[in-house]
Amino acid sequence: MRSTSLCLMLCSTLLSGTVLAENQTISLQQAYSPYFSVGTALSERQIRDQEPGTLDLVKQQFNVLTAENIMKWEAIEPVEGQFNFAAADAMIEFAEANNIKVIGHVLLWHEQTPAWVFQDAKGQPASKELVLSRLTNHINAVMGRYKGRIQGWDAVNEALNEDGTLRQSNWYKALGEDYIATVFEIAHKADPKAELYYNDFNLFKPEKRDGVLKLVAALKAKNVPIHGIGEQGHYSLDYPELQQVEDSIIAFGKTGLPVMITELDISVLPFPDPENIGADISLNMQLKQEFNPYAAGLPKAVSDQLSNKYLQLFELFLRHSNVVQRVTLWGVNDNQTWRNDWPMKGRTDYPLLFDRKNQPKEVVPKLIKLAEKAGK
Ligand code: XIL
């Protein structure tokens, strides 16, 4: 088995031009498969195979995929009733041809959703009935098309404030506080076999974590079909503390739901506004060179810190693999990562496991060894 996969890897390595360490015999997803699946997010360019070598690398290293953008509302239904399915179709076909699972991202979010969803024909706030019918049509169309082909959906994304209270988003304003339950109900009807997740960032923060626990308890009390909790995992060398991540995994595990780390990346750059750590995509700060220290390359000492943080996190995930079902990196390589442009456009960040040329960083074989040493 191992020698077959070694041969397969060497063959595809030669084809894709990816150089793997000499002593690396199996891939990330193979090493971690007894514990949890290892995923990545693909940009539209990657899905359309316009980035050399990436899809070959993805086939080797990952066994579950999320679309970074192309299944969000603004991309898949930019105009009411007009759906752009081509890119999502292509990603799902690629995944199926290569025995890779697919996660849908995302059914409901206050970001990357067109303004028309919340407006009537006169440009006034749309009625509750109108917004609800648009939401139902959207979910039925998208989930209906991919019924049976998607393992699970991020059903609701980022519905909570940092203090754990409900965000007063357009969704909340239009539909009232029960809207989260409504989304899960509609989605479950559309594809009863798809898992449905609540997904958010900064869930290591005790107040926000407790907000999720309250939400999950309320949904479960009403028998709302929720099947997992997604912790995005947009981290940095400076945060979060490992203990906080561990506490959140343990607390979520007690609900009986599995935990998914859904969007892992570790920025090596200074975060310009410590009050706003996390992943609020509306942040757009002015570029200042003092916040972009590694444009010419990453010093070895910092790259070692990055390796250590990845190793510590994966060690933690392995220890809690009875709860952690999946770990998805938010991107394949440092060229693609959104962290180059958030919270400030135009920086050079290094938050992923493969570098700008799709070469594995030195931490990749170490992560593989870590899983092998765990012994299953
Ligand atoms: C990000 C994408 O990576 C960017 O390309 C896009 O411009 C903005 O959104 N939380 C989420 C993801 O749930 O969908 C976001 O992805 C990052 C934060």
Side-chain angles (χ1 to χ4, degrees):
M1 173 68 197
R2 291 249 158 124
S3 56
T4 319
S5 39
L6 174 60
C7 168
L8 282 175
M9 283 198 57
L10 288 176
C11 298
S12 48
T13 297
L14 289 174
L15 285 175
S16 70
T18 302
V19 179
L20 295 159
E22 254 172 41
N23 57 357
Q24 188 180 331
T25 54
I26 62 171
S27 71
L28 274 172
Q29 52 94 0
Q30 287 170 323
Y32 281 88
S33 66
Y35 305 98
F36 45 76
S37 47
V38 183
T40 191
L42 294 184
S43 69
E44 179 163 9
R45 198 167 156 251
Q46 292 169 332
I47 291 166
R48 295 188 184 278
D49 204 7
Q50 290 162 352
E51 192 177 271
T54 297
L55 291 183
D56 282 330
L57 179 66
V58 168
K59 281 189 237 176
Q60 291 169 358
Q61 302 292 337
F62 301 102
N63 52 13
V64 56
L65 292 179
T66 309
E68 187 180 1
N69 286 301
I70 53 100
M71 294 174 86
K72 292 173 181 171
W73 196 313
E74 69 176 11
I76 211 160
E77 192 190 2
V79 175
E80 186 162 12
Q82 290 182 22
F83 291 88
N84 289 333
F85 287 125
D89 286 357
M91 186 180 92
I92 294 168
E93 279 157 25
F94 165 78
E96 286 174 346
N98 292 288
N99 205 16
I100 295 174
K101 295 203 162 69
V102 177
I103 301 300
H105 179 77
V106 49
L107 296 176
L108 179 139
W109 190 19
H110 61 283
E111 294 286 358
Q112 295 185 276
T113 301
W116 61 258
V117 174
F118 305 104
Q119 287 167 3
D120 67 14
K122 293 183 186 137
Q124 297 300 310
S127 67
K128 181 172 178 174
E129 292 64 37
L130 184 55
V131 175
L132 192 59
S133 80
R134 284 170 173 162
L135 177 65
T136 310
N137 291 344
H138 180 82
I139 293 177
N140 286 344
V142 180
M143 287 187 80
R145 183 172 182 95
Y146 301 121
K147 194 169 177 171
R149 300 169 75 189
I150 299 236
Q151 180 178 25
W153 278 90
D154 293 330
V156 174
N157 201 23
E158 302 179 1
L160 297 184
N161 295 312
E162 293 306 278
D163 65 0
T165 57
L166 272 185
R167 188 189 285 277
Q168 312 282 299
S169 67
N170 281 338
W171 290 112
Y172 177 95
K173 287 182 195 146
L175 301 177
E177 62 182 46
D178 283 341
Y179 82 91
I180 299 178
T182 308
V183 178
F184 281 87
E185 305 281 8
I186 300 170
H188 186 60
K189 262 198 211 138
D191 184 355
K193 290 198 181 133
E195 294 176 357
L196 301 173
Y197 316 127
Y198 177 74
N199 192 51
D200 213 329
F201 61 83
N202 283 355
L203 297 190
F204 58 87
K205 286 188 178 174
E207 315 80 64
K208 205 165 179 182
R209 173 194 75 205
D210 292 348
V212 172
L213 292 172
K214 217 169 116 191
L215 174 66
V216 168
L219 293 174
K220 286 190 135 198
K222 287 195 274 180
N223 280 324
V224 173
I226 174 167
H227 309 111
I229 300 170
E231 293 206 43
Q232 289 186 8
H234 294 293
Y235 297 154
S236 127
L237 292 180
D238 303 327
Y239 60 83
E241 283 168 29
L242 282 177
Q243 188 60 53
Q244 291 184 311
V245 178
E246 181 159 23
D247 290 347
S248 67
I249 292 173
I250 292 171
F252 293 149
K254 287 188 181 149
T255 66
L257 295 178
V259 171
M260 263 82 37
I261 309 299
T262 54
E263 306 183 15
L264 182 60
D265 49 25
I266 304 174
S267 172
V268 302
L269 300 180
F271 200 89
D273 177 6
E275 288 292 299
N276 275 308
I277 61 166
D280 175 353
I281 73 159
S282 68
L283 286 182
N284 186 6
M285 301 175 192
Q286 209 202 336
L287 176 64
K288 291 205 183 106
Q289 285 317 319
E290 62 187 288
F291 292 117
N292 190 25
Y294 309 127
L298 192 62
K300 169 93 171 79
V302 185
S303 128
D304 287 349
Q305 284 179 47
L306 179 71
S307 301
N308 281 339
K309 185 118 187 189
Y310 264 116
L311 286 163
Q312 288 171 331
L313 280 169
F314 272 76
E315 190 274 330
L316 179 67
F317 301 150
L318 277 171
R319 254 190 303 118
H320 293 284
S321 62
N322 57 330
V323 173
V324 176
Q325 184 175 290
R326 164 169 62 94
V327 176
T328 289
L329 281 295
W330 201 241
V332 181
N333 62 54
D334 288 346
N335 197 38
Q336 156 204 10
T337 174
W338 78 302
R339 309 263 347 215
N340 291 324
D341 291 308
W342 182 89
M344 187 175 269
K345 289 206 172 65
R347 297 197 295 174
T348 305
D349 208 341
Y350 301 80
L352 295 171
L353 295 178
F354 294 85
D355 70 13
R356 288 178 160 70
K357 294 185 173 145
N358 271 337
Q359 301 304 308
K361 296 187 184 175
E362 58 154 41
V363 71
V364 172
K366 291 183 181 167
L367 287 170
I368 290 170
K369 273 214 184 94
L370 186 72
E372 289 183 312
K373 270 209 315 228
K376 253 196 216 171

